[in-house]
Amino acid sequence: MARKRRRADWHAGELNLTAMIDLAFQLLSFFIITAHPSDVISQLNVFRPSPEQVRKDSDLPDQMIKIQLLVDGAAINDRPVNTKALGSLLQTLAKDDKKQTVLIICEGESQHGRLIEVLDLCAKVGLTNLSVLSAAVGGH
Amino acid sequence: MRKKPEEYLTGNLCAMIDVVFQLIIFFVCTTQLQDQSKDETIRLALAPHGVVVDKKDPLEITVDVNIKGVISIGRTPLSPDLLTRILKKAVKDSRQPVPVVIRGDFDTRHKSVKDVMDACAKAQIWKIKFAALREKA
């Protein structure tokens, strides 16, 4: 009788997986709740001229595009423009020479986002020689 | 023949457990934990034509500038002088130009970004990158 009971109770290779499945579901719930789609980040390279370079290159390059970012707008080569016109002007200028220097002068109170927009426009038309300067504030 | 009570409750769960483990592996592989050091309040401007970052340079220093003009690295606020000292030390330790990425909010005033750029200049770092969004998730 005891031998029969032992055979009835013994099952080959049985393992209680209940706890493991519970843990698996908990892990899954954690990752589902904490997962979020990440944004694709891009980077825009600029060059900030060093004081030595400014002294060395005392003469400005012949072909240079000067973009001024003002608080309430923008200007290219001292000509006021809006973003759309700026894009088409840069495209026209880039057709001549993509390696020409682009000098972006930002006013202190201008938005950083507008600087990114201008840098993006330059990247779009293939202008890679970009320098960013800050406009003098209060005369210093 | 009458079924035993426990037979009504059992079913073949093998396929479901396989799917559960595959889902766990998927989420473990795609979870990004390192981005938690960045300031999530900063809304980056859109730049669809920027260079996509594939591989992060281990020497790269990311400087955050939020909408209030507060400069921080890894969520630790810094003054411009402290930032200058940190950058100088980084350049001295690495003995080569250190890439600096500036993450500025769209509405951040340029004068705050200028402070970071001036700190980079004082540390002899002339090449700067601005972080932007290529695609919104």
Side-chain angles (χ1 to χ4, degrees):
Chain A
M1 280 297 277
R3 203 182 280 175
K4 263 190 187 172
R5 211 177 290 134
R6 270 202 294 271
R7 259 192 211 151
D9 291 341
W10 181 71
H11 297 278
E14 191 172 289
L15 195 64
N16 192 354
L17 294 176
T18 311
M20 191 183 80
I21 293 168
D22 278 344
L23 189 60
F25 275 113
Q26 283 188 17
L27 278 172
L28 188 61
S29 307
F30 168 76
F31 284 117
I32 287 173
I33 289 165
T34 56
H36 60 273
S38 55
D39 300 323
V40 179
I41 303 293
S42 62
Q43 287 178 353
L44 300 157
N45 295 315
V46 295
F47 181 69
R48 196 128 193 263
S50 62
E52 288 81 22
Q53 187 150 11
V54 170
R55 278 195 290 271
K56 237 190 266 181
D57 306 336
S58 53
D59 297 322
L60 291 170
D62 292 335
Q63 275 193 309
M64 187 182 77
I65 304 170
K66 190 172 88 173
I67 302 173
Q68 285 162 285
L69 284 177
L70 312 167
V71 176
D72 52 356
I76 182 166
N77 293 338
D78 298 319
R79 207 173 91 185
V81 288
N82 57 24
T83 312
K84 202 173 172 184
L86 180 63
S88 51
L89 267 170
L90 283 173
Q91 198 162 18
T92 310
L93 290 166
K95 279 179 190 166
D96 294 335
D97 181 12
K98 285 194 163 78
K99 286 194 173 29
Q100 56 187 311
T101 304
V102 179
L103 192 62
I104 304 169
I105 302 170
C106 306
E107 270 194 6
E109 294 298 320
S110 61
Q111 279 178 321
H112 176 67
R114 305 221 355 270
L115 171 61
I116 299 294
E117 282 174 0
V118 169
L119 292 172
D120 185 53
L121 282 171
C122 293
K124 183 181 172 185
V125 300
L127 292 164
T128 52
N129 193 2
L130 309 172
S131 293
V132 176
L133 286 178
S134 305
V137 177
H140 57 271
Chain B
M1 284 222 358
R2 213 174 155 191
K3 281 186 184 177
K4 290 181 190 172
E6 51 270 18
E7 283 182 1
Y8 287 107
L9 301 172
T10 58
N12 191 356
L13 296 177
C14 295
M16 191 187 78
I17 294 166
D18 279 344
V19 169
V20 165
F21 276 113
Q22 284 188 19
L23 283 171
I24 287 173
I25 289 166
F26 168 77
F27 282 114
V28 165
C29 293
T30 56
T31 295
Q32 292 176 4
L33 295 170
Q34 64 183 2
D35 286 344
Q36 291 177 3
S37 63
K38 290 184 184 163
D39 189 349
E40 296 291 333
T41 61
I42 291 176
R43 296 171 303 121
L44 295 174
L46 266 175
H49 304 97
V51 176
V52 176
V53 178
D54 288 331
K55 235 176 164 182
K56 195 178 170 184
D57 189 338
L59 291 174
E60 193 177 89
I61 297 175
T62 303
V63 182
D64 296 331
V65 188
N66 69 7
I67 194 169
K68 293 178 186 170
V70 174
I71 302 167
S72 59
I73 295 179
R75 293 191 176 190
T76 304
L78 304 166
S79 66
D81 292 333
L82 185 54
L83 175 65
T84 307
R85 276 186 271 154
I86 289 170
L87 292 174
K88 277 181 178 171
K89 189 174 185 315
V91 169
K92 189 182 167 190
D93 290 345
S94 66
R95 293 178 196 176
Q96 58 182 310
V98 171
V100 172
V101 178
I102 301 176
R103 285 181 76 242
D105 189 276
F106 188 96
D107 292 321
T108 300
R109 298 294 142 189
H110 177 73
K111 59 185 177 188
S112 306
V113 177
K114 178 185 175 297
D115 290 339
V116 177
M117 290 164 70
D118 288 343
C120 292
K122 286 175 189 170
Q124 307 287 310
I125 296 170
W126 309 111
K127 216 166 177 190
I128 297 167
K129 299 178 192 180
F130 288 110
L133 270 181
R134 187 181 170 93
E135 266 177 48
K136 191 97 180 90

